[in-house]
């Protein structure tokens, strides 16, 4: 059984799986399926895999210590800082739709184009600017606060 199957691969299998066989499919893919306990972690892990990124590298790029970053991903430690989740998403090179889903799974509001700061972030993501420094430069140029960094030591 393949445990590192991407979401895209799961979708391909489901396209050929009739509805009455989904129970069997879920049983066969048990290790790859999200649980109600940690859907954010399962999703982010799958997204990092799909984008060819290792969790350790994402945490380093996002400027989180391994310990703190792992706790955030696993939701063992909760944050109300939306910027922290955005930093993880940007460091993982997620696309806009993937970032929106990640924010929702974490229990946060998705980026909204009518909010000026969110509009800058959306534009950066659409234009392939996933580097946190580049995003912060764009926010600064617009006269807005940069993405907040973790107070936890990296």
């Amino acid at each position: 059984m393949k445990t590192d199957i991407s979401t895209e691969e799961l979708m391909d299998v489901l396209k050929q799986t009739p509805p009455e066989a989904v129970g069997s499919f879920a049983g066969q893919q048990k290790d790859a399926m999200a649980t109600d306990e940690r859907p954010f972690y399962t999703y982010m892990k799958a997204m990092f895999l799909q984008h060819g990124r290792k969790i350790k590298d994402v945490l380093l790029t996002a400027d989180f210590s391994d310990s703190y970053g792992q706790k955030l991903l696993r939701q063992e430690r909760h944050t109300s800082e939306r910027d922290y989740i955005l930093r993880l998403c940007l460091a993982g090179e997620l696309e806009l739709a993937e970032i929106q889903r990640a924010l929702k799974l974490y229990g946060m509001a998705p980026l909204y184009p009518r909010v000026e700061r969110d509009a800058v972030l959306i534009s950066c993501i659409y234009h392939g600017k996933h580097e946190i420094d580049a995003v912060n430069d764009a926010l600064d140029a617009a006269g807005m606060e940069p993405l907040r960094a973790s107070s936890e030591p990296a």
Side-chain angles (χ1 to χ4, degrees), residues 1-15 17 21-35 42 45 49:
M1 179 182 341
K2 186 175 179 185
T3 59
D4 286 337
I5 188 169
S6 72
T7 302
E8 193 172 284
E9 291 171 305
L10 285 172
M11 288 297 287
D12 288 341
V13 172
L14 275 173
K15 285 178 189 174
T17 304
V22 171
S24 173
F25 162 82
Q28 292 170 349
Q29 302 297 335
K30 184 179 178 187
D31 291 339
M33 302 300 283
T35 65
T42 304
K45 185 176 164 189
L49 177 67

Side-chain angles (χ1 to χ4, degrees), residues 65-106:
S65 69
D66 188 58
S67 172
Y68 182 70
Q70 288 282 357
K71 287 178 183 175
L72 281 180
L73 285 171
R74 295 179 189 275
Q75 290 183 287
E76 293 169 3
R77 179 141 184 213
H78 191 77
T79 182
S80 59
E81 288 291 343
R82 187 169 170 238
D83 283 0
Y84 290 7
I85 305 308
L86 288 169
R87 290 175 78 91
L88 288 170
C89 292
L90 290 168
E93 301 177 3
L94 275 65
E95 298 302 323
L96 183 61
E98 296 164 343
I99 292 171
Q100 300 290 53
R101 180 155 170 77
L103 288 167
K104 288 178 187 176
L105 284 171
Y106 202 84

Side-chain angles (χ1 to χ4, degrees), residues 104-146:
K104 288 178 187 176
L105 284 171
Y106 202 84
M108 296 185 165
L111 294 170
Y112 186 58
R114 294 185 189 269
V115 174
E116 283 185 73
R117 189 167 186 266
D118 285 2
V120 172
L121 294 167
I122 290 168
S123 179
C124 286
I125 295 160
Y126 271 138
H127 289 91
K129 290 186 179 183
H130 288 90
E131 302 84 14
I132 293 169
D133 288 341
V135 171
N136 282 339
D137 288 346
L139 288 167
D140 184 55
M144 297 176 191
E145 292 291 317

